[in-house]
């Protein structure tokens, strides 16, 4: 495989223009209109190569590098608009990305006579078939829906000359392996495949080996290395301080336009809920929301009506938004590759950004594993001191007061009342009161707040009480297997495999009609395992536990999660590996549930409002972004996985600074 590693420096010195790359004048015209002046490094490498020859390509690049144009421009340039059947086929993991790519291709080909059609799950298939029948030059598709169309013989791929696989690693992560094989096998043997991926796991290499011949490779940076414009920082805190630490990071960055990543739907909902209740402009994005709700939240985030999006990895797929200043890893992802995807949401299109990780005191090894695996360097951050946060917020407040537009004509008639109201007060007193009206909550909240850094003083009375977050499964002794690969210094007793079993929490119980036999059947039917692989089963009134062979953990998580038991969606998660620690407190108690109870941030009377968690109910509302067993998924909905109509409800409108001018938008 010919490997062209692209150094930014060498590219910039080339100073080339789009015109010199050999694009048609019609394409150049639309690029000028779009404001694209100079090619990005990946465009510079890919475009002339793809234009000059009919060859296969492997592009190692993340979103934000300009990869859509790197394949999209040659594609619209090469495809023959007169053809009625698709010559170009772009396959990508999510509906959002599918729509984005379609829009981009339409923009690039504005002055060419081409038609681009998007086909994705969750939308009316008949309309898509009608569009295809009208004649189409390029189809942009999610794998599940495309397979449906192929099986129905509603699309012919016989004339396809170029297949683009975008975010190939994501598609494989999402379980589209068989679909991709089928799609590629349905295209002519001599088509070219252009494969783009942020990382190069074995499965992606397999696709390259199976379906491509002598591809040239373009890479931005090293393999599996993330963008140099991203600053990676981690903060080590006690588990119980995780949420308070998150707030400190946000409070210290009042202009933040950020994405908080959580590992589970439940955690996502909980963090967003708490932030919302405490006056932050934050909304959740996870698979329990309907597609309409997710579209609405994303749209508002895009328009910056929401400052912070709290998302699961799955829900945030395809969310390509420029200008994100911070990616906050509330918890690290189980799969290290997801860290690359998460952090790649910031520092797009040449901008700088921070990827911040909150870890508990036992998770330092995870940072080292990520550093080794994706070749990034983390800085050990020190959480800002309360007084520094207050100073920043005060500056922000003063700035926003100074910048407030005074509606002279309208306020004039109120001036006598205003002047009379403040009576004899001096200017200083009035200013003090105005500032206090807004700023007291910071003073109150942070007045007794101590040092949250794990080595710091354990005295932050103001920020405790966030114990609803104590459900972190990794603070109790279990280590994450994916972070342990290649780790030699790990003590034997930590491996959690002495007894070889993993213990799972199941979101359904006796009240849902579940009994041990039913649970056993469910697990075995979904996974293909035998009863011998399954250990102890405990059926509780509202939920259950079971143990299973540790080697099957991933298989079980993937296949059982999201399956149905008598009409109820089943969500499971690991509670512990046998011998590796205790269950999570809230769960095993049965009554209170995870994160239950009335939590108050005791920052003082005028401080942040506490939040009343939904307690036990939350336990049952679904957790990980799970996979339904393939047998139960219709091809067309796989692209839209996780968008059950249950929906946790559209949250009240946020907007920058719902309750505080400190968070008001730019
Ligand atoms: P992508 O990596 O394809 O998602 O692109 C990231 C962002 O960069 C998108 O907003 C593109 O419109 C923008 N972009 C891509 N190439 C260029 C370019 N050559 N000049 C300016 N903006 C670009």
């Amino acid at each position: 495989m010919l490997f062209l590693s692209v150094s930014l420096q060498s590219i910039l010195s080339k100073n080339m223009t789009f015109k010199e790359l050999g694009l048609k004048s019609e394409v150049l015209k639309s690029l000028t209109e779009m404001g694209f002046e100079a090619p990005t490094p990946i465009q510079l490498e890919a475009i002339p190569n793809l234009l000059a020859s009919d060859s296969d390509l492997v592009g190692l690049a993340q979103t934000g590098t300009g990869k859509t144009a790197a394949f999209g421009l040659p594609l619209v340039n090469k495809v023959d608009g007169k053809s009625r059947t698709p010559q170009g086929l772009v396959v990508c993991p999510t509906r959002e990305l599918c729509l984005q790519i379609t829009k981009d291709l339409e923009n690039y080909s504005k002055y060419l006579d081409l038609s681009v059609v998007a086909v994705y799950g969750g939308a009316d298939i008949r309309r898509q078939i009608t569009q295809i029948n009208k004649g189409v030059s390029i189809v942009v598709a999610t794998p599940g829906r495309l397979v449906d169309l192929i099986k129905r013989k509603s699309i012919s791929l016989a004339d396809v000359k170029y297949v683009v696989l975008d975010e190939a690693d994501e598609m494989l992560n999402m379980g589209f392996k068989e679909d991709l094989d089928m799609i590629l096998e349905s295209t002519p043997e001599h088509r070219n495949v252009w494969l783009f991926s942020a990382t190069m796991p074995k499965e992606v290499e397999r696709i390259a080996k199976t379906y491509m011949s002598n591809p040239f490779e373009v890479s931005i940076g090293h393999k599996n290395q993330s963008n140099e414009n991203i600053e990676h920082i981690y903060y080590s805190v006690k588990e119980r301080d995780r949420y308070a630490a998150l707030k400190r990071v946000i409070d210290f960055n009042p202009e933040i336009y950020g994405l908080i990543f959580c590992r589970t739907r439940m955690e996502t909902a909980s963090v967003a809920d708490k932030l919302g209740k405490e006056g932050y402009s934050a909304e959740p994005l996870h698979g329990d929301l309907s597609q309409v709700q997710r579209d609405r939240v994303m749209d508002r985030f895009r328009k910056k009506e929401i400052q912070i999006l709290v998302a699961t990895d799955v829900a945030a797929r395809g969310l390509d938004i420029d200008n994100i200043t911070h990616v906050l890893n509330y918890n690290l992802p189980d799969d290290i590759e997801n860290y690359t995807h998460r952090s790649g949401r910031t520092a797009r299109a040449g901008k700088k950004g921070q990827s911040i990780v909150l870890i508990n005191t036992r998770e330092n090894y995870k940072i080292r594993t990520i550093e080794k695996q994706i070749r990034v360097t983390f800085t050990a951050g020190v959480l800002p001191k309360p007084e520094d946060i207050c100073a920043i917020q005060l500056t922000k407040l003063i700035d926003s007061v100074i910048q407030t537009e005074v509606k002279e004509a309208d306020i004039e008639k109120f001036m006598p009342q205003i002047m009379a109201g403040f009576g004899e007060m001096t200017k200083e007193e009035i200013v003090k009161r105005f500032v206090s009206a807004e700023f007291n909550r910071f003073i109150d909240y942070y007045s007794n707040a101590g040092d949250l850094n794990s080595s710091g003083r354990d005295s932050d009375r103001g920020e405790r009480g966030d114990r609803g977050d104590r459900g972190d499964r990794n603070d109790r002794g279990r280590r994450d297997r994916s972070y342990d690969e290649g780790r030699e210094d790990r003590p034997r007793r930590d491996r959690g495999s002495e007894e070889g079993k993993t213990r799972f929490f199941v979101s359904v119980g006796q009240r849902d009609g579940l009994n041990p036999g039913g649970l056993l059947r469910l697990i075995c039917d979904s996974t293909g395992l035998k009863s011998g692989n399954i250990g102890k089963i405990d059926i509780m009134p509202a939920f259950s536990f079971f143990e299973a062979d540790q080697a099957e953990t991933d298989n079980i998580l993937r296949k059982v999660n999201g399956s149905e038991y008598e009409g109820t969606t089943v969500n499971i998660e690991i509670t512990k590996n046998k011998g590796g620690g205790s269950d999570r407190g809230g769960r095993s108690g049965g009554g209170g549930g995870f994160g239950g109870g009335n939590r108050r941030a005791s920052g003082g009377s005028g401080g942040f409002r506490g939040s009343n968690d939904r307690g036990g109910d939350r336990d049952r509302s679904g957790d990980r972004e799970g996979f339904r067993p393939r047998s139960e998924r219709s091809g067309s909905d796989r692209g839209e996985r996780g968008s059950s109509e249950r929906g946790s409800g559209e949250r009240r409108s946020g907007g920058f600074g719902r309750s505080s001018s400190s968070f008001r938008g730019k």
Side-chain angles (χ1 to χ4, degrees):
M1 197 182 283
L2 180 61
F3 190 92
L4 298 172
S5 188
V6 181
S7 114
L8 194 60
Q9 220 64 46
S10 71
I11 293 307
L12 291 177
S13 63
K14 283 190 198 164
N15 235 355
M16 280 180 86
T17 62
F18 278 111
K19 197 169 177 189
E20 290 167 275
L21 301 185
L23 292 162
K24 289 180 180 166
S25 59
E26 291 91 336
V27 180
L28 293 173
K29 191 172 167 193
S30 29
L31 288 182
T32 309
E33 282 181 14
M34 290 169 70
F36 282 25
E37 285 170 10
T40 67
I42 192 154
Q43 292 162 4
L44 211 40
E45 287 301 324
I47 295 171
N49 276 303
L50 294 177
L51 289 180
S53 64
D54 278 340
S55 59
D56 292 337
L57 170 136
V58 170
L60 265 171
Q62 310 214 345
T63 62
T65 54
K67 70 178 163 62
T68 313
F71 66 75
L73 293 173
L75 190 63
V76 299
N77 210 88
K78 291 181 107 163
V79 158
D80 175 9
K82 290 186 204 90
S83 168
R84 301 273 305 158
T85 48
Q87 293 196 344
L89 174 63
V90 182
V91 191
C92 62
T94 63
R95 165 196 141 107
E96 285 77 22
L97 192 56
C98 177
L99 290 168
Q100 182 64 46
I101 294 171
T102 305
K103 203 172 90 198
D104 288 349
L105 295 182
E106 282 169 352
N107 285 337
Y108 307 150
S109 61
K110 187 171 163 194
Y111 298 104
L112 294 167
D113 191 19
L114 294 187
S115 81
V116 185
V117 169
V119 297
Y120 46 90
D124 184 357
I125 196 164
R126 283 162 306 180
R127 255 184 57 194
Q128 293 175 352
I129 293 173
T130 310
Q131 281 181 304
I132 293 166
N133 288 341
K134 278 186 192 157
V136 52
S137 332
I138 301 172
V139 169
V140 186
T142 53
R145 176 54 58 98
L146 184 57
V147 164
D148 253 12
L149 291 167
I150 295 170
K151 284 185 179 160
R152 289 172 187 233
K153 301 200 187 323
S154 301
I155 192 166
S156 162
L157 302 181
D159 295 327
V160 166
K161 290 186 170 163
Y162 311 100
V163 179
V164 181
L165 302 178
D166 194 19
E167 302 203 353
D169 50 352
E170 284 287 278
M171 290 196 278
L172 292 164
N173 277 343
M174 290 168 80
F176 288 128
K177 177 175 173 290
E178 287 86 2
D179 292 345
L180 289 183
D181 282 332
M182 184 193 175
I183 291 165
L184 286 162
E185 277 153 20
S186 307
T187 57
E189 201 183 335
H190 296 296
R191 82 283 183 250
N192 289 130
V193 179
W194 304 342
L195 179 151
F196 288 81
S197 196
T199 56
M200 195 47 71
K202 287 212 161 46
E203 241 331 284
V204 178
E205 276 180 4
R206 182 195 68 86
I207 294 234
K209 277 200 191 107
T210 315
Y211 298 104
M212 300 163 87
S213 63
N214 201 21
F216 72 89
E217 184 169 338
V218 291
S219 169
I220 301 302
H222 301 291
K223 270 192 179 187
N224 296 348
Q225 184 187 41
S226 50
N227 181 339
E228 282 171 10
N229 285 334
I230 305 170
E231 192 184 357
H232 301 265
I233 303 169
Y234 73 91
Y235 296 104
S236 179
V237 295
K238 293 194 172 76
E239 184 54 43
R240 64 182 173 214
D241 292 331
R242 194 183 286 272
Y243 177 70
L246 174 77
K247 287 200 302 189
R248 285 203 185 184
V249 174
I250 299 172
D251 286 346
F252 195 63
N253 293 283
E255 302 289 352
I256 191 169
Y257 179 48
L259 263 174
I260 299 175
F261 279 99
C262 298
R263 280 191 313 189
T264 62
R265 297 177 199 178
M266 188 159 60
E267 189 175 77
T268 302
S270 161
V271 169
D273 191 36
K274 282 192 278 186
L275 288 174
K277 282 180 174 149
E278 295 185 14
Y280 295 87
S281 170
E283 296 278 337
L285 184 73
H286 54 74
D288 275 351
L289 303 180
S290 69
Q291 187 64 51
V292 173
Q293 288 171 321
R294 287 199 285 164
D295 286 349
R296 205 176 301 149
V297 170
M298 286 206 253
D299 196 44
R300 291 181 53 224
F301 185 60
R302 264 194 196 98
K303 291 184 187 147
K304 297 199 172 172
E305 289 168 11
I306 299 169
Q307 195 175 3
I308 299 166
L309 210 54
V310 191
T312 54
D313 291 293
V314 172
R317 277 177 184 147
L319 184 80
D320 290 331
I321 294 180
D322 290 344
N323 301 322
I324 286 180
T325 59
H326 292 76
V327 167
L328 299 154
N329 294 267
Y330 186 70
N331 262 305
L332 277 168
D334 290 333
D335 184 349
I336 295 175
E337 273 174 13
N338 271 341
Y339 181 77
T340 310
H341 289 292
R342 287 181 176 188
S343 56
R345 307 282 169 188
T346 187
R348 288 165 54 87
K351 303 210 177 68
K352 296 213 180 293
Q354 287 188 344
S355 175
I356 289 174
V357 178
L358 297 173
I359 54 163
N360 68 40
T361 43
R362 296 174 183 217
E363 291 176 314
N364 273 302
Y365 74 101
K366 290 189 177 180
I367 296 294
R368 289 195 300 277
T369 310
I370 296 177
E371 284 185 324
K372 251 199 278 174
Q373 194 155 321
I374 60 173
R375 296 201 231 159
V376 293
T377 307
F378 275 88
T379 309
V382 179
L383 282 167
K385 292 198 191 91
E387 54 269 33
D388 296 336
I389 294 171
C390 287
I392 289 256
Q393 287 290 345
L394 188 55
T395 307
K396 173 82 190 348
L397 177 58
I398 294 168
D399 281 353
S400 61
V401 170
I402 290 173
Q403 280 163 25
T404 299
E405 182 200 354
V406 177
K407 300 199 158 101
E408 296 287 357
D410 297 321
I411 201 147
E412 200 50 47
K413 60 176 176 288
F414 298 106
M415 283 313 289
Q417 188 187 346
I418 293 169
M419 296 312 284
F422 290 116
E424 298 300 302
M425 281 165 95
T426 63
K427 175 185 163 190
E428 191 185 336
E429 276 176 342
I430 296 171
V431 169
K432 217 188 287 181
R433 271 160 219 268
F434 263 99
V435 170
S436 295
E438 193 60 54
F439 192 54
N440 270 354
R441 65 198 198 97
F442 285 102
I443 296 177
D444 289 339
Y445 183 73
Y446 282 115
S447 61
N448 283 320
D451 185 354
L452 295 190
N453 295 289
S454 60
S455 54
R457 184 171 51 93
D458 189 13
S459 66
D460 51 319
R461 280 181 289 147
E463 290 172 279
R464 285 289 155 71
D466 292 312
R467 297 191 177 210
D469 285 316
R470 294 187 69 175
D472 182 272
R473 55 195 64 98
N474 283 330
D475 198 34
R476 306 297 180 87
R478 185 182 81 81
R479 281 189 189 275
D480 223 306
R481 292 192 325 154
S482 60
Y483 288 91
D484 280 336
E485 278 165 23
R487 190 183 141 82
E488 282 118 45
D489 57 342
R490 191 172 157 209
R492 168 114 186 97
R493 69 185 157 77
D494 270 345
R495 274 186 206 158
S497 59
E498 286 120 318
E499 292 176 48
K501 292 273 191 249
T502 299
R503 185 168 166 83
F504 295 86
F505 163 85
V506 189
S507 64
V508 287
Q510 238 164 25
R511 283 189 219 138
D512 306 288
L514 190 70
N515 55 32
L519 182 54
L520 192 62
R521 262 196 314 280
L522 177 83
I523 302 161
C524 294
D525 287 352
S526 315
T527 57
L529 294 176
K530 300 267 178 312
S531 58
N533 298 112
I534 315 301
K536 193 160 175 269
I537 291 179
D538 293 315
I539 309 287
M540 319 295 270
F543 46 82
S544 312
F545 297 96
F546 70 91
E547 290 174 6
D549 288 354
Q550 209 173 324
E552 298 297 336
T553 303
D554 289 346
N555 180 23
I556 292 170
L557 280 175
R558 281 170 63 91
K559 306 248 178 74
V560 181
N561 227 331
S563 59
E564 302 244 316
Y565 184 78
E566 297 192 351
T568 307
T569 304
V570 176
N571 291 286
I572 63 167
E573 65 176 62
I574 296 167
T575 62
K576 68 173 183 179
N577 287 326
K578 198 114 192 236
S582 64
D583 270 358
R584 306 196 308 183
R587 280 267 161 83
S588 50
F594 180 40
N598 191 350
R599 212 175 39 245
R600 273 173 54 84
S602 55
S605 57
F608 290 1
R609 263 179 298 141
S611 55
N612 194 348
D613 267 3
R614 275 171 282 152
D617 270 0
R618 184 82 59 79
D619 267 357
R620 301 162 54 77
S621 69
D623 196 357
R624 267 169 208 284
E625 296 279 282
F627 287 70
R628 261 185 290 151
R630 295 186 65 81
S631 55
E632 288 181 27
R633 289 192 260 138
S634 81
S636 60
D637 91 15
R638 264 170 268 153
E640 308 297 320
R641 193 165 42 70
S643 60
S644 100
E645 290 298 318
R646 253 185 308 157
S648 57
E650 189 61 1
R651 297 170 44 75
R652 62 177 178 261
S653 69
F656 277 25
R658 240 190 36 239
S659 68
S660 161
S661 63
S662 315
F663 302 120
R664 209 147 284 146
K666 293 146 237 190

